[in-house]
Amino acid sequence: MKQDSTRNTAYTVDCEDYVHVVKFSPFDSGDACSLIAYGGNNYVVVGTCRFQEEDAEVECMQYKTLRTFHHGVRVDAIAWSPETRLNTLPPQIRFCTAASDRKLRLFTSDLQDRNEFKTFDGHSAYINDLVFDPEGGKDVASVSDDHTCRVWDLEGNEKARFVLRSPGMSVCWHPEEASKLMVAEKNGTIRFYDVTTQQAILSLECEQTPLMSADWCLKNTLKIGAVAGSDWLIWDITRSSYPQDKRPVHVDRARLFRWSQVNENLFATTGYPGKTTTQLLVHHLGHAQPILTGTAAVGSGLTWHRTLPLCAVGGDRKIFFWVTEM
């Protein structure tokens, strides 16, 4: 767990394989350490992190692998369940993955003898994103290139289906109102659905394509951010269905957008993986230029720490971490 001398990477963790996706748990697990999961070509690793920014006794960072889960196929997305707890006896780890075989897999483990997984079948094309309902963790929503958003119970039964007009790229669940779901489509439309009534309640427009990623700001749920083409775009949903702010950022095309968990003006974007490097940019709405630029060797995935202004990107046998200012 070394402090890295390459361009402003704060820390790196060595991994055994290419990291396709990396995800900090957005939920409090009852432990001082943060949970992180990352996925490779046929496995998911769950571990804990602790950083010197939150604990003076830690030198740089501490990382510990809790368990490696055999997956058998490439991992494309990971969602954490709010039911994951490290402070119970036994502990419970629960997460869901989307894989290249168009299936969801729900994993539940006590990190000892109980290791269960269920497969959810139904999507007919690539699954781009998934999320647990943050209130009870009893439902999972997923979006796919098959032009659907589907809501599943934990047995893998389909509870709701929303037909989209283009591939579904991102899905987010409202942190306080568990009936509200945000779905972002590749054609540049972001729609909000009421899961209970299964009706669309609001839509936003990018006016440019392709929309590749969108995120709901958890510190201010009136804010939505996305990347489309080479721009980032931000909406205030009380003001207009068109973006309040947008800016070109990535020379080729932007790939991912993620809001910080700790500051409503802080967000990160990544460019498309180039031949050798992926560019990470951290932006602050009070600054005209990105406040941090990082590069990762063919990076993929993007995730923010739950309580620190720190984000991570996966790469070739490594996870890269960057720390920024608030």
Side-chain angles (χ1 to χ4, degrees):
M1 300 326 107
K2 51 194 178 295
Q3 194 106 9
D4 213 335
S5 59
T6 58
R7 191 173 180 191
N8 66 34
T9 311
Y11 315 107
T12 58
V13 167
D14 292 324
C15 310
E16 286 187 9
D17 189 5
Y18 185 83
V19 178
H20 290 285
V21 60
V22 57
K23 192 73 185 268
F24 277 116
S25 174
F27 305 110
D28 181 1
S29 67
D31 190 82
C33 295
S34 297
L35 279 163
I36 193 167
Y38 63 90
N41 287 319
N42 57 14
Y43 66 87
V44 177
V45 176
V46 168
T48 58
C49 299
R50 191 105 173 110
F51 298 91
Q52 64 184 12
E53 283 78 8
E54 57 188 335
D55 183 348
E57 291 180 13
V58 172
E59 191 181 334
C60 299
M61 78 168 281
Q62 286 170 351
Y63 168 79
K64 178 182 161 201
T65 294
L66 295 180
R67 191 172 191 94
T68 300
F69 297 85
H70 182 68
H71 197 263
V73 62
R74 189 185 74 226
V75 184
D76 291 325
I78 298 172
W80 280 99
S81 164
E83 292 190 297
T84 293
R85 303 300 295 173
L86 289 177
N87 62 344
T88 53
L89 279 172
Q92 171 164 280
I93 298 286
R94 177 170 283 164
F95 60 92
C96 195
T97 62
S100 53
D101 61 359
R102 308 189 290 275
K103 293 177 171 58
L104 300 177
R105 287 170 176 78
L106 175 70
F107 289 82
T108 306
S109 170
D110 64 2
L111 300 175
Q112 291 155 17
D113 309 325
R114 180 182 170 229
N115 293 289
E116 302 166 359
F117 90 92
K118 291 192 180 78
T119 305
F120 300 3
D121 282 310
H123 281 298
S124 59
Y126 191 86
I127 301 164
N128 291 304
D129 197 15
L130 74 165
V131 65
F132 273 88
D133 94 79
E135 221 167 58
K138 300 301 182 197
D139 295 317
V140 177
S142 56
V143 287
S144 163
D145 282 354
D146 67 10
H147 294 207
T148 66
C149 169
R150 302 176 194 228
V151 179
W152 317 77
D153 67 18
L154 298 189
E155 296 301 315
N157 303 306
E158 193 179 297
K159 292 176 66 175
R161 181 188 302 191
F162 302 103
V163 178
L164 313 177
R165 291 170 198 172
S166 67
M169 301 306 291
S170 295
V171 59
C172 300
W173 220 303
H174 192 291
E176 285 105 33
E177 297 173 54
S179 63
K180 290 201 178 101
L181 205 58
M182 181 204 92
V183 176
E185 296 189 41
K186 200 168 190 175
N187 68 4
T189 301
I190 300 172
R191 268 196 199 82
F192 297 83
Y193 294 94
D194 185 313
V195 180
T196 316
T197 63
Q198 299 193 23
Q199 299 294 312
I201 44 182
L202 180 73
S203 72
L204 307 174
E205 293 297 335
C206 278
E207 296 189 292
Q208 60 195 76
T209 58
L211 184 157
M212 295 308 294
S213 172
D215 197 19
W216 205 334
C217 181
L218 301 188
K219 292 304 269 185
N220 177 354
T221 52
L222 302 176
K223 277 185 175 172
I224 305 295
V227 286
S230 56
D231 300 2
W232 59 253
L233 309 97
I234 288 173
W235 291 259
D236 173 338
I237 58 177
T238 60
R239 291 165 81 182
S240 168
S241 59
Y242 298 103
Q244 263 66 62
D245 208 348
K246 71 173 191 174
R247 220 160 286 171
V249 275
H250 294 278
V251 182
D252 42 5
R253 258 203 299 166
R255 176 64 190 92
L256 294 171
F257 182 108
R258 297 278 187 274
W259 289 105
S260 152
Q261 305 268 318
V262 294
N263 184 329
E264 65 170 86
N265 293 311
L266 197 60
F267 60 97
T269 58
T270 60
Y272 253 77
K275 290 187 175 65
T276 54
T277 59
T278 297
Q279 190 182 46
L280 164 89
L281 296 173
V282 176
H283 314 267
H284 190 287
L285 287 175
H287 296 261
Q289 299 298 320
I291 59 170
L292 184 150
T293 303
T295 50
V298 286
S300 53
L302 173 62
T303 185
W304 283 92
H305 190 278
R306 191 176 67 84
T307 56
L308 292 173
L310 179 149
C311 60
V313 170
D316 188 11
R317 295 191 292 278
K318 275 188 183 351
I319 300 171
F320 303 95
F321 298 86
W322 285 270
V323 182
T324 184
E325 301 299 314
M326 289 282 270

